[in-house]
Amino acid sequence: MGRQPCCDKVGLKKGPWTAEEDRKLINFILTNGQCCWRAVPKLAGLLRCGKSCRLRWTNYLRPDLKRGLLSDYEEKMVIDLHSQLGNRWSKIASHLPGRTDNEIKNHWNTHIKKKLRKMGIDPLTHKPLSIVEQEDEEPVKKLQKIQMPIQELVEKNLEETTSYCLTKDSNIKNVSRLGESLEDDQFMAINLEYGVEDVPLIDPESLELICSNSTMSSSTSTSSNSSNDSSFLKDLHFPDFEWSDYGNSSNDNNNNGVGNIIENNMMSLWDIDDFSSLDLLLNDESSSTLGLF
DNA sequence: AACAAATGCAACCGCCGTCAT
DNA sequence: GATGACGGCGGTTGCATTTGT
């Protein structure tokens, strides 16, 4: 005899969440905290399965979430972590406060993959595409063949984008915009030597990725639904919570992004149990900031 | 202006390890 | 120990929006 099923799957609602459902779920979590997801739908008066509630909360409603596009700094961290961890989105997300695995996964699939390909980097292996194509060759031959393409890549991207190459320090690292040549022949040998699992984690603070303002920023400056949606919660003006302006494209290029905030330890995240401010708002029916509720 | 294609993202699906029964 | 739900995860889908023709 095992546990009880999490929910009857009959009559459950699917699809996009409504503001009313969100309000019910938030109210419930505020009152009861995150406990047994199985019980949440019934107690909160929702026709959803517990799993759906958990996903909605963790991916969208949690007050400590950042909304909006990833900053350049975050994007660079994602790339670097992905080179070490692969598609372990939750692990990657754990290095980026306020970001969810789903969000990072989506961003990777829709933005970063394309950028890397444009730059001649294989997003799966983080190696130059020419290496991937010749994966079955002997390492020494690969080394001989890869140096020239990377040099060309560096020159090509010098003026317009961040360039990455393989180094002895990690799987992925920038190539200086000054176009300095690859420092030695070891970069490739090391990369071949390490598997994804073996490469030690790099301290994010030690990242030396250099990014130009053009390519990276332009692609992250597109306004989107998410930025509109983010205003849904952002507009609530939680008194104790400092909403970072990551979704504001106008700030992406002026060093007000998350990188600086993280580096300056200014990030103001809510403790998951500290909902007093949100609770106040939710219980204040007259609050004009709750128009969407 | 109308339509088609491409894009972005929230949500779902199914798998797996853990743990309650 | 066996069973089966829970919680977490990564892959995929569906649909609204944006862009191109």
Side-chain angles (χ1 to χ4, degrees), chain A residues 134-143 192:
Chain A
Q134 299 158 12
E135 195 64 72
D136 53 342
E137 291 186 31
E138 290 175 28
V140 175
K141 285 183 182 176
K142 274 189 229 176
L143 252 179
L192 294 169

Side-chain angles (χ1 to χ4, degrees), chain A residues 74-280:
Chain A
E74 289 175 302
E75 199 169 70
K76 280 174 257 174
M77 277 193 71
V78 170
I79 294 169
D80 193 68
L81 289 165
H82 186 273
S83 73
Q84 300 164 65
L85 300 167
N87 291 359
R88 292 174 185 168
W89 305 115
S90 60
K91 288 270 188 289
I92 293 172
S94 69
H95 288 78
L96 295 160
R99 299 295 186 182
T100 68
D101 53 354
N102 204 39
E103 189 177 16
I104 290 169
K105 180 172 59 183
N106 280 336
H107 191 77
W108 177 269
N109 287 327
T110 56
H111 293 101
I112 299 177
K113 257 179 161 177
K114 289 176 200 166
K115 276 183 198 171
L116 291 179
R117 286 210 184 96
K118 261 188 183 175
M119 291 156 52
I121 305 287
D122 180 60
L124 274 177
T125 61
H126 294 260
K127 298 174 186 176
L129 284 167
S130 55
I131 291 183
V132 177
E133 289 162 7
Q134 299 158 12
E135 195 64 72
D136 53 342
E137 291 186 31
E138 290 175 28
V140 175
K141 285 183 182 176
K142 274 189 229 176
L143 252 179
Q144 292 167 345
K145 287 193 175 186
I146 191 56
Q147 295 218 357
M148 192 57 196
I150 289 186
Q151 292 283 12
E152 289 170 1
L153 184 67
V154 171
E155 287 161 18
K156 188 180 171 187
N157 288 304
L158 205 53
E159 294 302 319
E160 57 184 13
T161 187
T162 303
S163 304
Y164 298 92
C165 73
L166 306 165
T167 76
K168 62 183 177 182
D169 298 318
S170 71
N171 275 22
I172 186 164
K173 191 179 182 179
N174 74 298
V175 173
S176 164
R177 294 195 66 204
L178 295 174
E180 64 191 35
S181 59
L182 303 169
E183 53 185 334
D184 55 52
D185 293 339
Q186 293 174 319
F187 75 95
M188 191 56 218
I190 292 295
N191 188 63
L192 294 169
E193 183 182 329
Y194 283 115
V196 169
E197 297 284 302
D198 303 326
V199 179
L201 270 177
I202 299 171
D203 176 6
E205 296 299 326
S206 69
L207 288 177
E208 298 176 83
L209 298 169
I210 298 171
C211 180
S212 69
N213 286 332
S214 57
T215 307
M216 286 291 200
S217 298
S218 63
S219 62
T220 57
S221 62
T222 314
S223 64
S224 65
N225 297 337
S226 61
S227 61
N228 291 334
D229 290 344
S230 70
S231 63
F232 159 70
L233 289 169
K234 193 174 175 179
D235 288 347
L236 293 176
H237 301 300
F238 300 124
D240 295 337
F241 185 65
E242 180 181 343
W243 287 102
S244 302
D245 210 17
Y246 311 123
N248 186 343
S249 60
S250 65
N251 283 341
D252 283 348
N253 295 334
N254 63 8
N255 287 335
N256 286 335
V258 66
N260 283 348
I261 293 172
I262 289 175
E263 284 162 8
N264 296 333
N265 296 318
M266 288 170 60
M267 184 172 295
S268 172
L269 300 178
W270 279 23
D271 185 286
I272 205 71
D273 296 322
D274 180 15
F275 291 113
S276 54
S277 304
L278 183 55
D279 200 5
L280 271 174

